[in-house]
Amino acid sequence: MLSFNQPTDSWYHVSAGPGVARPALDGDLSCDVAVVGGGLTGCSTALHLAQRGYRVVLLEGATVGYGASGRSGAQLLPGFASGQGVLRAALGAAGARAAFNLSIEGMALSQRLIRDHAIECDYRVGQAHVAVKPRQALELLAMQRELEALDYPHTRLLEQEELGQLLATTRYRRGLFDSHSAHLHPLKYVRGLAAAAERAGARIFEHTPALQLQHGEPARLVTATGTVTARHVALCGNAYLQGLAPTLRARIMPVSTYIIATEPLGEARAATLIRNDMAVTDLNFVLDYYRRSADHRLLFGGRVSYSGYDPLGTTRATRARMLAVYPQLADVRIDHAWGGYVDISMNRAPDFNRLAPNIYYAQGFSGHGMILTVMAGQLMAEAIAGQAERFDVFTRLRHRPFPGGALLRRPALVLGMLWYRLRDLL
Ligand SMILES: Cc1cc2nc3c(=O)[nH]c(=O)nc-3n(C[C@H](O)[C@H](O)[C@H](O)COP(=O)(O)OP(=O)(O)OC[C@H]3O[C@@H](n4cnc5c(N)ncnc54)[C@H](O)[C@@H]3O)c2cc1C
């Protein structure tokens, strides 16, 4: 498993508190479905299967929400990181539309899960993509046209003057506001889903990395302290999965991204920064994403790295990006800084499929997983229950491994990213 800075560094952990402590697996178990990974994908899969009456065991190598899900920028956006074009080329217009509709259904599913399971996770609606450059201002028009063609009516263009009234910065030329997208506290959310899965009957073991996957019917997961024998396996370890399934590992690049949390600014000062409390994302390739927290901090994310975690350098660099947007925060202390791995696929489209008829996986959310992970869990549950049509909308997407495989993919991507950064600067 990939390690990172301890998640306890993050504002999410401090504000959510320690959470429920769960035991490690000790001994041998059998069940209908074994799920690997206690992030949004794994918890949603476990919940939906347990609700259908399956006996589910979930193994989490660290604690629930340890991976990207508990560290995320947590903007809930429709669609895919790849955009619709990649999906249309691979699936045709009807297939791409079906995939988009599933992402919209995922938005409704997220709202329903939060409501039905009474998950208190600071859910707030409103998000805007913003353009830093003239080219991006045109891209926003194209984005809106595309969304309207997909019968997504929730966006509105914000021209410079109106945008300036909402955001206390002169950095942007135009925005595209989406009244349906949302943001939330991701660690409280994933913990809420885990608790709901347990109430539905799933068993969750923490501090239990699955070390080996033995294919077969049944399949078997081997851990340091026991085994789980299961008719089906759902691999939801994503960028953190590493050695358990080497063919999956080569198809995603774990890219780290960082968030800082300012000290509490007080309600009035925080409100001047983002008047309508929306989440914001710019259109640069190495993008800035930010929002207010429930306790009136600015949570500002950005910067990617391929060379490992460097806490001081990261905090400095992310703060510099924040000051490029809000120079008026120069006097403000940074209380928390953390990072996590995003699972980028070659074409940035999601990679859901089977390694064997009874071994399912979902990965490749490419930084756009807050909605799609939870939907992937529902789709995997449907597929395991014998209704695979909707899961199979995605299995028709072809995914190539990164050139150079797991060892050389990093230098290749660094070169690629340098090019994109240069393009952002120009
Ligand atoms: C800093 C950051 C900001 C982001 N911002 C956004 C955003 O604003 N909007 C958006 O849509 N998406 C965003 N994302 C992406 C989104 O958070 C992810 O797509 C999503 O959380 C992935 O969920 P997951 O459950 O698939 O994986 P993860 O949350 O990474 O969960 C995988 C889990 O599996 C466990 N695991 C791995 N291997 C094993 C093993 N062998 N045995 C047992 N357990 C194992 C790990 O410990 C981990 O807990 C962001 C990601 C990061 C890191």
Side-chain angles (χ1 to χ4, degrees), residues 14 121 142 273 310 418:
V14 173
C121 58
L273 300 177
D310 155 26
L418 279 175

Side-chain angles (χ1 to χ4, degrees), residues 37 39-41 60-61 67-69 72-75 210 237-238 240-241 367-370:
L40 289 170
T41 311
E60 164 53 51
S69 301
S72 180
Q75 302 194 14
N238 210 320
Y240 294 79
L241 188 64
H368 207 96
M370 284 304 297

Side-chain angles (χ1 to χ4, degrees), residues 202-261:
R203 298 180 67 186
I204 299 181
F205 296 94
E206 293 186 325
H207 309 291
T208 309
L211 302 174
Q212 205 193 336
L213 166 63
Q214 294 171 353
H215 287 231
E217 294 185 9
R220 219 148 76 104
L221 290 168
V222 180
T223 77
T225 48
T227 61
V228 181
T229 304
R231 286 197 291 129
H232 305 273
V233 172
L235 296 175
C236 309
N238 210 320
Y240 294 79
L241 188 64
Q242 294 288 290
L244 197 64
T247 47
L248 296 188
R249 181 183 175 196
R251 289 152 68 134
I252 50 169
M253 162 70 77
V255 170
S256 46
T257 165
Y258 303 96
I259 302 180
I260 53 175

Side-chain angles (χ1 to χ4, degrees), residues 1-2 12 35-43 58-77 186 190 205 208-212 236-244 255-259 281 289 291 301 338-343 362-373:
M1 260 168 56
L2 281 176
Y12 297 136
V35 178
V36 177
L40 289 170
T41 311
C43 292
L58 185 153
L59 302 182
E60 164 53 51
T63 51
V64 163
Y66 170 84
S69 301
R71 305 162 184 254
S72 180
Q75 302 194 14
L76 278 66
L77 313 171
V190 66
F205 296 94
T208 309
L211 302 174
Q212 205 193 336
C236 309
N238 210 320
Y240 294 79
L241 188 64
Q242 294 288 290
L244 197 64
V255 170
S256 46
T257 165
Y258 303 96
I259 302 180
T281 305
Y289 50 95
R291 61 200 182 95
W338 66 96
Y341 286 108
V342 167
D343 50 324
Q363 61 175 20
F365 300 100
S366 302
H368 207 96
M370 284 304 297
I371 285 181
L372 210 56
T373 45

